[in-house]
């Protein structure tokens, strides 16, 4: 009897709306940041009848219907109603459609073209290669209230911020030989959360987990912007994983891709037969590198879509920040385009003024709503003020990836130590611009993918020197001003390039060399978290001072890191050659005793054990223009970190 009633109810669509006139105004002005509460499929009750309200934006459609397993995928049985206000929104209430049922939109454009599309606002999708949207509720009882109340200090620019970047499907696999074999969100959390805690990272960054059809895109070609991928479970399962990180005191950064989207038939491309979400002019609307399409940042409804999507992950999933992908491609009209393949802006320049305007609006909105999160820009250009407030002419991001530092550092460390003295300026150049932005130092997935080799094999020399160089490079990274990001596997010197189909080479931890790298990264994280001199002023020139920068022949660099307290001082000395330097003199502006608190050549890291034991005291002698002199043992291809003892 119930089935018969449901079948009878499902024969019609009832006029219904969740939109107010104010919603439409905000949507059309590019300022609506909670469209996910209106668009999509929402289980509701209307006049005592339970069902689902559907709403979709298809401004160039002549006909829109919703079809699914509830109507035998019939194209015409459930026709949605166009709104009277010319907003391009089609909507309606379908009785008896329940959570878990599949659906798509059938769209006939004004040109007569017929399309079948997934829901741009769907919160859940079928597991690929299937492409239907799923009616879903996002109800969840969160248990991370304490974290949410206290995360302001944890996510602060004046706190340690060390990020472990993870591709969820290839961190570990139940069967490494089977690319289709994956753990669920809960299973991954049970292993990953304690590991991140053990390693001392403060945050985890998850490569895009929004629904995407092609594994080989690593998640950067998104079709379901409002849905965590169903590969690993339900939206609630994903919420539970984020909650597990929060309960362990770990922040969660999500990769977010507002720059481009793929041309899959069920996705956003030509959604209603016209260029709805992308620029119609392919000089602006097509991305030649990624064979994908670029959002139309000039269209207010698209701006509201993206604005709402960013807020969605912070609101519904308690994300602690967004790492925004491919900023350079968004803000430059000539990005990866040859002469004649792009059109200058109204001022004759190469900047996409609409994208720049959108990013400013995005950051202003996010920080107004969630002042305790961070937005992080992946930008490889020298565009002014990416991490400066919009009122100063900046884009308003909290941080920016320091791509120049990453490239210069890797280029330097690839060189044979015999030749490094000719390239010392390459390793010191970063300090010329280090405080022009709030920089994050990244060794990301992009540096270890196919054709680039793992970090350990970028290092020169025999096996011992490779590991020593890598330990030295990590020590330099963690003592250099700025926040940190390290891709999974780098923390134990993965020896193969990253492959999304497999898993990390965990068996390497059977070897003492790899155990040593892992222990050093853990200790560097502990050092960074526990020594205020490394984070108090990490974006302020007052927190850094060169000590030895001109000893080219010996390839020695020394610098001081300072906290806000006058006596909170660390001395970092790096020997870029495999030659031990005994009784090496360093001129210091501070008199006192120094204690070595980390040495990357320590035996526990598989180093040679050239250490500075006991207190090292300065004596009054002018050296290198400073009043006090300190004599140290400098280990080979290693860094030593000493703390001023008052």
């Amino acid at each position: 009897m119930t089935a018969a009633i449901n079948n009878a109810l499902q024969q019609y669509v009832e006029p219904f709306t969740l939109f107010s006139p104010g919603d439409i105004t905000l949507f059309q002005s590019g300022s609506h940041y909670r469209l996910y509460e209106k668009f999509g499929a929402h289980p509701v009750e209307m006049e005592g009848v339970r069902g689902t309200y559907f709403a979709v934006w298809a401004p160039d459609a002549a006909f829109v219907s919703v079809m699914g397993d509830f109507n035998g995928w019939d194209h015409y049985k459930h026709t949605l109603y166009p709104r009277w206000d010319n907003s391009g929104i089609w909507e309606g209430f379908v009785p008896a459609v329940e959570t878990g049922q599949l659906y798509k939109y059938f769209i006939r454009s004004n040109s007569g073209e017929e399309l079948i599309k997934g829901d741009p606002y769907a919160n859940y999708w079928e597991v690929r290669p299937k492409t239907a949207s799923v009616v879903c509720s996002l109800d969840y009882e969160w248990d991370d209230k304490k974290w949410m109340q206290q995360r302001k200090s944890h996510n602060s620019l004046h706190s340690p911020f060390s990020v472990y970047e993870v591709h969820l499907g290839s961190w570990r696999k139940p069967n490494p030989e089977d690319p289709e074999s994956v753990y669920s969100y809960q299973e991954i959390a049970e292993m990953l959360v304690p590991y991140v805690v053990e390693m001392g990272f403060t945050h985890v960054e998850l490569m895009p987990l929004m629904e995407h059809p092609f594994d080989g895109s690593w998640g950067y070609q998104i079709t379901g912007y409002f849905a965590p991928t169903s590969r690993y479970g339900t939206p609630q399962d994903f919420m539970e994983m984020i909650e597990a990180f929060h309960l362990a005191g770990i922040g969660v950064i999500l990769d977010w891709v507002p720059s481009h989207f793929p041309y899959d038939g069920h996705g956003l491309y030509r959604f209603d037969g016209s260029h709805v979400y992308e620029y119609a002019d392919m000089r602006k609307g097509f991305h030649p590198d990624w064979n994908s399409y670029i959002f139309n940042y000039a269209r207010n409804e698209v701006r509201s879509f993206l604005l709402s999507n960013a807020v969605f992950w912070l609101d519904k999933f308690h994300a602690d920040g967004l790492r925004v992908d491919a900023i350079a491609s968004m803000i430059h009209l000539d990005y990866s385009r040859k002469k004649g393949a792009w059109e200058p802006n109204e001022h004759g320049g190469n900047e996409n003024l609409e994208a720049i305007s959108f990013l400013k609006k995005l950051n202003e909105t996010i920080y107004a709503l969630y002042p305790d999160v961070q937005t992080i820009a992946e930008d490889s250009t020298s565009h002014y003020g990416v991490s400066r407030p919009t009122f100063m002419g900046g884009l308003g991001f909290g941080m920016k990836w320091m791509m120049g530092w990453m490239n210069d550092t890797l280029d330097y460390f690839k060189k044979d130590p015999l030749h490094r003295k000719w390239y010392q300026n390459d390793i010191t150049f970063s300090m010329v611009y280090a405080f022009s932005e709030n920089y994050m130092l990244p060794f990301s997935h992009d540096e270890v993918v196919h054709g680039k080799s793992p970090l350990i094999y970028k290092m020169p020399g025999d096996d011992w020197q490779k590991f020593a160089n890598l330990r030295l490079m990590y020590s330099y990274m963690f003592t250099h001003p700025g926040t940190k990001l390290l891709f999974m596997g780098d923390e134990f010197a993965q020896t193969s390039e990253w492959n999304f189909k497999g898993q990390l080479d965990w068996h390497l931890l059977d070897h003492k060399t790899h155990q040593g790298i892992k222990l050093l990264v853990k200790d560097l994280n502990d050092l960074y978290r526990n020594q205020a001199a490394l984070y108090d002023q990490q974006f302020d020139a007052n927190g850094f001072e060169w000590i030895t920068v001109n000893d080219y022949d010996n390839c020695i660099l020394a610098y001081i890191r300072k906290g806000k307290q006058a006596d909170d001082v660390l001395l970092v000395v790096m020997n870029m050659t495999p030659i031990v330097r005994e009784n090496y003199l360093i001129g210091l502006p501070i008199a006192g005793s120094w204690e070595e608190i980390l040495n990357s050549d320590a035996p526990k890291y598989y180093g040679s054990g050239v250490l500075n034991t006991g207190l090292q005291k300065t004596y009054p002698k002018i050296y290198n223009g400073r009043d006090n002199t300190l004599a140290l043992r400098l280990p080979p291809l290693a860094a030593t970190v000493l703390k001023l003892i008052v």
Side-chain angles (χ1 to χ4, degrees):
M1 183 65 178
T2 303
I5 293 173
N6 282 348
N7 190 54
L9 287 171
Q10 286 180 347
Q11 299 307 310
Y12 66 93
V13 178
E14 192 74 31
F16 185 79
T17 188
L18 290 177
F19 287 91
S20 70
D23 287 322
I24 301 301
T25 300
L26 289 171
F27 175 47
Q28 294 180 327
S29 67
S31 299
H32 206 309
Y33 54 80
R34 293 195 186 273
L35 287 177
Y36 51 89
E37 295 176 347
K38 312 294 178 178
F39 280 113
H42 296 274
V44 295
E45 184 175 307
M46 179 182 172
E47 296 180 353
V49 177
R50 296 197 64 78
T52 299
Y53 164 73
F54 295 93
V56 63
W57 182 52
D60 201 46
F63 175 89
V64 178
S65 68
V66 60
M67 56 190 229
D69 55 3
F70 52 86
N71 67 5
W73 299 96
D74 190 290
H75 291 188
Y76 302 102
K77 191 173 285 186
H78 291 98
T79 304
L80 297 180
Y81 298 99
R83 283 184 61 88
W84 56 269
D85 52 16
N86 296 317
S87 60
I89 298 171
W90 299 71
E91 61 185 351
F93 173 80
V94 182
V97 173
E98 300 173 345
T99 298
Q101 294 197 279
L102 308 179
Y103 71 101
K104 284 188 176 183
Y105 295 115
F106 172 71
I107 300 172
R108 184 183 296 122
S109 74
N110 283 320
S111 67
E113 183 180 0
E114 294 184 344
L115 306 103
I116 296 175
K117 292 287 188 178
D119 186 349
Y121 289 85
N123 298 137
Y124 194 37
W125 294 68
E126 286 186 291
V127 179
R128 56 95 182 95
K130 296 179 180 179
T131 57
S133 304
V134 183
V135 178
C136 174
S137 166
L138 291 181
D139 292 342
Y140 186 76
E141 191 173 331
W142 287 89
D143 192 30
D144 64 348
K145 183 178 179 180
K146 183 178 178 182
W147 167 268
M148 297 297 283
Q149 290 174 338
Q150 298 178 352
R151 71 175 180 175
K152 182 176 182 179
S153 61
H154 193 87
N155 294 333
S156 165
L157 294 175
H158 301 291
S159 297
F161 208 102
S162 181
V163 181
Y164 186 56
E165 186 190 22
V166 177
H167 178 265
L168 221 55
S170 59
W171 186 70
R172 282 190 186 271
K173 283 184 174 294
N175 180 1
E177 306 301 319
D178 179 11
E180 293 295 309
S181 165
V182 294
Y183 285 111
S184 68
Y185 286 119
Q186 295 103 318
E187 290 170 330
I188 296 169
E190 288 174 4
M191 296 179 286
L192 182 56
V193 172
Y195 183 77
V196 173
V197 172
E198 174 202 348
M199 291 303 298
F201 291 98
T202 64
H203 293 73
V204 64
E205 180 183 313
L206 304 175
M207 290 172 66
L209 284 169
M210 298 76 184
E211 193 57 79
H212 54 283
F214 178 47
D215 290 11
S217 76
W218 313 334
Y220 290 98
Q221 299 274 11
I222 297 170
T223 48
Y225 270 81
F226 288 85
T229 179
S230 56
R231 286 166 174 80
Y232 316 114
T234 67
Q236 283 77 10
D237 294 336
F238 184 44
M239 292 173 182
E240 188 178 338
M241 185 180 83
I242 293 176
E243 182 179 82
F245 277 112
H246 286 173
L247 292 175
I250 303 297
V252 179
I253 310 296
L254 300 181
D255 268 16
W256 186 57
V257 191
S259 48
H260 63 112
F261 55 87
Y263 56 83
D264 295 72
H266 63 286
L268 298 178
Y269 176 60
R270 297 188 70 250
F271 187 77
D272 62 3
S274 68
H275 297 289
V276 182
Y277 288 93
E278 68 275 8
Y279 285 108
D281 183 346
M282 288 298 104
R283 289 175 299 177
K284 291 175 74 173
F286 179 72
H287 201 297
D289 283 357
W290 303 320
N291 198 25
S292 56
Y293 292 86
I294 299 169
F295 283 104
N296 182 352
Y297 307 108
R299 190 164 194 171
N300 283 338
E301 294 90 343
V302 174
R303 291 164 72 101
S304 287
F305 170 85
L306 290 171
L307 200 59
S308 295
N309 187 241
V311 172
F312 171 77
W313 296 102
L314 303 172
D315 175 22
K316 295 296 185 182
F317 290 86
H318 290 197
D320 297 289
L322 300 173
R323 176 270 197 184
V324 185
D325 184 60
I327 295 295
S329 74
M330 291 176 65
I331 64 177
H332 292 99
L333 297 167
D334 59 346
Y335 183 89
S336 198
R337 296 180 190 274
K338 296 179 181 177
K339 188 175 181 180
W342 62 282
E343 186 177 24
N345 62 35
E346 60 194 65
H347 305 300
N350 69 339
E351 293 181 327
N352 186 331
L353 302 178
E354 299 137 7
I356 290 171
S357 167
F358 165 71
L359 290 172
K360 290 181 178 182
K361 175 75 170 180
L362 169 78
N363 284 311
E364 288 170 353
T365 303
I366 287 177
Y367 282 111
L369 294 170
Y370 301 99
D372 54 355
V373 305
Q374 292 294 343
T375 58
I376 305 165
E378 188 245 339
D379 177 33
S380 55
T381 70
S382 57
H383 182 87
Y384 165 76
V386 171
S387 61
R388 292 291 177 258
T390 56
F391 64 79
M392 293 177 61
L395 295 185
F397 284 92
M399 286 179 261
K400 171 183 173 175
W401 276 20
M402 199 175 189
M403 307 294 277
W405 171 89
M406 178 272 297
N407 286 316
D408 289 346
T409 298
L410 290 178
D411 285 347
Y412 178 86
F413 274 92
K414 286 176 185 176
K415 292 179 170 62
D416 189 305
L418 184 66
H419 303 136
R420 284 179 180 169
K421 64 181 178 180
W422 308 112
Y423 298 95
Q424 289 295 91
N425 288 342
D426 291 352
I427 200 74
T428 59
F429 178 67
S430 64
M431 294 313 303
V432 173
Y433 63 95
F435 305 107
S436 62
E437 301 273 5
N438 298 336
Y439 280 117
M440 173 176 280
L441 315 181
F443 286 134
S444 74
H445 64 275
D446 279 328
E447 310 322 312
V448 294
V449 295
H450 179 66
K452 290 195 174 181
S453 91
L455 292 185
I456 186 66
Y457 289 150
K458 296 182 195 293
M459 303 295 111
D462 57 24
D463 270 2
W464 188 91
Q465 289 196 13
K466 286 183 188 300
F467 281 93
N469 270 301
L470 189 61
R471 293 193 302 269
L472 174 57
M473 188 174 76
Y474 286 165
S475 301
Y476 169 57
M477 173 190 188
F478 275 84
T479 56
H480 187 288
T483 56
K484 329 295 175 187
L485 179 138
L486 201 60
F487 183 56
M488 64 181 198
D490 290 345
E491 79 278 9
F492 60 80
Q494 171 98 354
T495 55
S496 59
E497 295 169 329
W498 172 56
N499 179 359
F500 71 92
K501 296 180 180 179
Q503 71 167 10
L504 299 183
D505 298 332
W506 294 104
H507 63 275
L508 293 174
L509 287 171
D510 293 337
H511 303 281
K512 290 183 178 179
T513 48
H514 295 273
Q515 291 172 13
I517 293 286
K518 180 186 173 188
L519 180 57
L520 175 71
V521 171
K522 177 184 183 302
D523 286 353
L524 285 169
N525 269 322
D526 290 345
L527 183 78
Y528 177 43
R529 288 197 334 272
N530 295 320
Q531 297 296 329
L534 293 177
Y535 62 79
D536 245 1
Q537 303 188 95
Q538 57 191 343
F539 303 123
D540 188 334
N542 291 322
F544 180 91
E545 181 182 346
W546 280 117
I547 297 299
T548 301
V549 73
N550 57 357
D551 189 356
Y552 299 102
D553 287 340
N554 292 318
C555 290
I556 305 298
L557 290 174
Y559 47 87
I560 279 178
R561 295 297 310 279
K562 308 172 190 175
K564 291 179 181 176
Q565 302 299 319
D567 58 353
D568 189 6
V569 182
L570 296 182
L571 171 65
V572 182
V573 187
M574 298 187 297
N575 179 3
M576 303 299 195
T577 72
I579 301 168
V580 177
R581 309 289 178 185
E582 297 283 358
N583 200 36
Y584 186 87
L585 301 183
I586 296 173
L588 290 170
I590 308 168
S593 298
W594 297 81
E595 180 184 8
E596 186 173 81
I597 57 175
L598 186 137
N599 186 322
S600 67
D601 191 50
K604 62 180 178 178
Y605 307 134
Y606 208 72
S608 62
V610 178
L611 308 176
N612 292 280
T613 57
L615 291 181
Q616 311 299 313
K617 297 182 180 180
T618 61
Y619 52 92
K621 178 182 178 181
I622 295 177
Y623 188 81
N624 257 4
R626 294 185 173 91
D627 293 337
N628 307 283
T629 300
L630 185 67
L632 294 175
R633 302 182 75 205
L634 301 190
L637 291 173
T640 175
V641 182
L642 300 103
K643 184 176 178 64
L644 179 64
I645 305 300
V646 179

